[in-house]
């Protein structure tokens, strides 16, 4: 099995020594698009200095990991992998028993064609189980050599804090994964997923956790000018506050000679703990996202984009 390029995850996620060019995580429709399209995006991302892709046991009806694995098999050791367990192939939460988690990890290792998963995340919480039990399951995977770094997605802030404490006692610092962007979604329309709100960010900063910010571009919200529906429902990002933020992005982009969606992504990069997860469908969209690295926003601009003239 090939080794990951991420030989020093501790240094990679060190907030005092992070390399801006490597803070993007590549997602996208692996398993739901032609293999050639995935291969083109993965190669382009790697050539542009990317290090890490993210997928899940449940994505694309369970096909996503194997689809990414097709490219990884032909390009061993080029990109690291983060994947999530805890959803079935329909995206529903399942009990996080030790046996089930280990089974999903064995499947992921086979599908991804790697000797060890770089970052394994619980895709959901299992509130019926003590945090200590869930932490012990994650540590057992590290000790077995199946996983190099562990964490959780979509946990309530108090449970994430407890997990960070439990894992710290076992020599691990978890990675957190939540929706994070300049556009704060309407939680009632986000389908049960959690936004990195103030309570979550307080935990992230207190315990110095890396944060994978998925939908970092709010599903293309800042590139649009009109409202749209998502799966037949209102866009969770189309709120009065976010429309005002989008207008401010347009204004600042004009001054900086950039694009509104690039400014919005640069806003996420201003937060040193955040690794924005991007889901471009084309190599051109990858390049547009990566342009955010070249925008240096002031503290005043970051605050103005979020809050306006207060």
């Amino acid at each position: 099995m090939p080794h990951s390029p991420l030989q020093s995850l501790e240094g990679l996620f060190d907030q005092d020594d992070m390399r801006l060019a490597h803070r993007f995580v590549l997602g996208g429709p692996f398993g739901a698009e032609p293999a050639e399209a995935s291969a083109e995006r993965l190669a382009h991302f790697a050539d542009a200095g990317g290090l890490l892709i993210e997928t899940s046991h449940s994505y694309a009806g369970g096909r996503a990991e194997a689809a990414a694995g097709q490219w990884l098999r032909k390009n061993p050791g080029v990109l690291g992998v983060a994947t999530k367990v805890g959803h079935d192939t329909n995206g529903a939460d399942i009990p996080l028993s030790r046996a089930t988690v280990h089974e999903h990890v064995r499947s992921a290792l086979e599908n991804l064609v790697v000797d060890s998963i770089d970052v394994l995340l619980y895709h959901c919480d299992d509130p019926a189980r003590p945090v200590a039990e869930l932490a012990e399951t994650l540590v057992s995977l590290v000790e077995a050599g199946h996983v190099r770094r562990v964490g959780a997605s979509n946990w309530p802030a108090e449970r994430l804090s407890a997990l960070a404490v439990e894992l710290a006692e076992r020599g691990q610092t978890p990675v957190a994964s939540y929706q994070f962007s300049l556009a704060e979604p309407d939680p009632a329309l986000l389908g049960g997923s959690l936004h990195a709100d103030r309570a979550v960010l307080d935990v992230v900063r207190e315990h110095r956790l890396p944060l994978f910010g998925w939908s970092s571009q709010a599903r293309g919200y800042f590139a649009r000018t009109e409202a749209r529906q998502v799966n037949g429902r209102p866009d969770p990002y189309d709120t009065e506050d976010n429309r005002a933020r989008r207008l401010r992005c347009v204004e600042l982009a004009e001054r900086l000679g950039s694009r509104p969606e690039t400014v919005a992504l640069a806003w996420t990069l201003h937060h040193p703990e955040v690794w924005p997860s991007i889901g471009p469908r084309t190599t051109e969209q990858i390049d547009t996202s990566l342009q955010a690295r070249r925008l240096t926003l002031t503290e005043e601009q970051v605050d103005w984009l979020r809050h306006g003239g207060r």
Side-chain angles (χ1 to χ4, degrees):
M1 289 287 189
H3 292 288
S4 166
L6 309 182
Q7 294 304 311
S8 178
L9 277 175
E10 288 302 325
L12 185 68
F13 288 134
D14 185 345
Q15 291 181 20
D16 295 327
D17 187 32
M18 286 197 297
R19 291 163 288 176
L20 189 60
H22 293 159
R23 278 174 56 198
F24 291 98
V25 181
L26 181 68
F30 306 125
E33 66 180 352
E36 296 78 9
S38 292
E40 184 180 20
R41 287 189 302 111
L42 288 163
H44 193 79
F45 182 69
D47 289 344
L51 287 181
L52 192 61
I53 67 172
E54 64 97 9
T55 183
S56 169
H57 172 79
S58 65
Y59 289 169
R63 301 184 301 275
E65 287 177 339
Q70 290 182 28
W71 187 86
L72 295 172
R73 182 184 299 109
K74 298 175 182 177
N75 301 272
V78 175
L79 290 169
V81 181
T83 194
K84 297 181 283 293
V85 296
H87 281 177
D88 64 21
T89 54
N90 293 315
D93 294 359
I94 59 175
L96 298 176
S97 70
R98 181 184 176 109
T100 296
V101 173
H102 275 256
E103 178 186 351
H104 281 193
V105 169
R106 284 192 295 270
S107 174
L109 289 169
E110 293 177 2
N111 287 333
L112 293 166
V113 200
V114 294
D115 60 348
S116 183
I117 295 166
D118 293 292
V119 183
L120 179 78
L121 302 170
Y122 284 135
H123 210 156
C124 57
D125 189 11
D126 184 348
R129 296 178 191 275
V131 172
E133 175 190 333
L134 295 171
E136 201 60 56
T137 296
L138 292 176
V139 171
S140 70
L141 290 162
V142 175
E143 292 175 343
H146 300 321
V147 173
R148 301 178 64 204
R149 192 75 180 254
V150 295
S153 179
N154 295 313
W155 280 38
E158 63 276 10
R159 294 268 290 182
L160 177 66
S161 181
L163 181 68
V165 171
E166 292 285 350
L167 287 174
E169 292 175 353
R170 296 162 174 80
Q172 302 289 323
T173 300
V175 176
S177 174
Y178 293 79
Q179 194 284 326
F180 183 79
S181 70
L182 176 58
E184 184 171 352
D186 180 342
L189 298 174
L190 203 55
S193 298
L194 298 183
H195 171 74
D197 59 14
R198 183 181 298 275
V200 167
L201 291 177
D202 284 346
V203 173
V204 165
R205 288 161 183 162
E206 177 185 358
H207 297 281
R208 294 182 61 81
L209 312 183
L211 172 63
F212 288 176
W214 53 266
S215 287
S216 60
Q217 294 171 299
R219 300 174 183 168
Y221 181 76
F222 292 97
R224 297 192 298 272
T225 57
E226 298 180 353
R228 70 165 190 177
Q229 289 196 328
V230 179
N231 297 324
R233 304 177 67 195
D235 185 348
Y237 298 101
D238 190 34
T239 67
E240 181 178 353
D241 284 343
N242 290 336
R243 288 191 288 272
R245 290 171 185 140
R246 185 167 59 187
L247 287 174
R248 291 194 288 272
C249 280
V250 170
E251 179 180 335
L252 185 55
E254 290 176 350
R255 298 208 306 262
L256 297 177
S258 185
R259 302 163 63 108
E261 63 270 30
T262 305
V263 170
L265 190 54
W267 181 91
T268 68
L269 285 175
H270 190 85
H271 301 75
E273 68 275 12
V274 176
W275 284 56
S277 180
I278 57 175
R281 301 300 180 103
T282 66
T283 58
E284 290 79 9
Q285 290 175 351
I286 290 177
D287 291 338
T288 298
S289 295
L290 295 181
Q291 288 172 13
R293 293 175 295 168
R294 303 188 183 97
L295 293 183
T296 301
L297 304 180
T298 67
E299 293 287 349
E300 292 76 13
Q301 288 170 332
V302 167
D303 184 73
W304 177 73
L305 286 170
R306 182 73 172 86
H307 302 289
R310 61 176 188 175

